[in-house]
């Protein structure tokens, strides 16, 4: 059993900052890529930021220069530092981890339950 536990969401004013955390636990052999997705009402779920096990990152164009993804491999934790937040950043944010379950290298994607981020004055 693998679980991803998210924290750090909440209400913030435009221009403010939040830091999201997501810790993976359970029967984990290894974790490849980790990332953050978000979904607003009436919108498709979109990739916000991703990071490989080696530290290579990619970002959605809408958050470049404002958000930073990082990870602590020893703790199986991924972070999303969100600065200069805008109302359009309001969404449920989901953590994702591509988990290798055993020595054979089979990869399975796990998801957190989501955390609400609301940017409003």
């Amino acid at each position: 059993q693998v679980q991803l536990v998210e924290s750090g969401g909440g209400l913030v004013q435009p221009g403010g900052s939040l830091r999201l955390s997501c810790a993976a636990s359970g029967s984990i052999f290894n974790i490849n890529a980790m990332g953050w997705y978000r979904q607003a009402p009436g919108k498709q779920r979109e990739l916000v930021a991703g990071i490989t096990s080696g530290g290579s990152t990619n970002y959605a164009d809408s958050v470049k220069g404002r958000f930073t993804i990082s990870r602590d491999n020893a703790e199986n934790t991924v972070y999303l530092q969100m600065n200069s937040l805008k109302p359009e950043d309001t969404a449920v944010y989901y953590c994702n981890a591509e988990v290798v379950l055993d020595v054979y290298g089979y990869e399975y994607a796990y998801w957190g339950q989501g955390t609400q981020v609301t940017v409003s004055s």
Side-chain angles (χ1 to χ4, degrees):
Q1 184 178 0
V2 176
Q3 290 186 319
L4 274 60
V5 179
E6 303 170 347
S7 62
L11 174 65
V12 65
Q13 294 186 358
S17 298
L18 286 173
R19 187 179 71 176
L20 305 183
S21 300
C22 174
S25 62
S27 184
I28 298 170
F29 185 79
N30 195 21
I31 299 179
N32 292 329
M34 303 184 79
W36 291 94
Y37 293 71
R38 68 186 181 188
Q39 188 165 25
K43 304 286 188 178
Q44 299 262 60
R45 184 175 296 189
E46 65 172 343
L47 174 67
V48 177
I51 185 167
T52 69
S53 60
S56 179
T57 61
N58 65 286
Y59 298 90
D61 288 341
S62 59
V63 307
K64 286 181 179 177
R66 300 188 297 119
F67 291 10
T68 302
I69 189 170
S70 61
R71 65 189 287 172
D72 184 340
N73 290 334
E75 299 293 333
N76 289 331
T77 300
V78 63
Y79 304 93
L80 185 68
Q81 178 66 47
M82 304 184 294
N83 298 326
S84 301
L85 283 162
K86 304 175 180 179
E88 51 262 44
D89 295 318
T90 296
V92 178
Y93 284 70
Y94 297 91
C95 175
N96 169 267
E98 297 175 352
V99 179
V100 179
L101 299 179
D102 56 38
V103 70
Y104 299 104
Y106 182 79
E107 185 181 276
Y108 194 86
Y110 285 87
W111 294 86
Q113 62 183 351
T115 184
Q116 177 71 46
V117 172
T118 302
V119 184
S120 177
S121 59

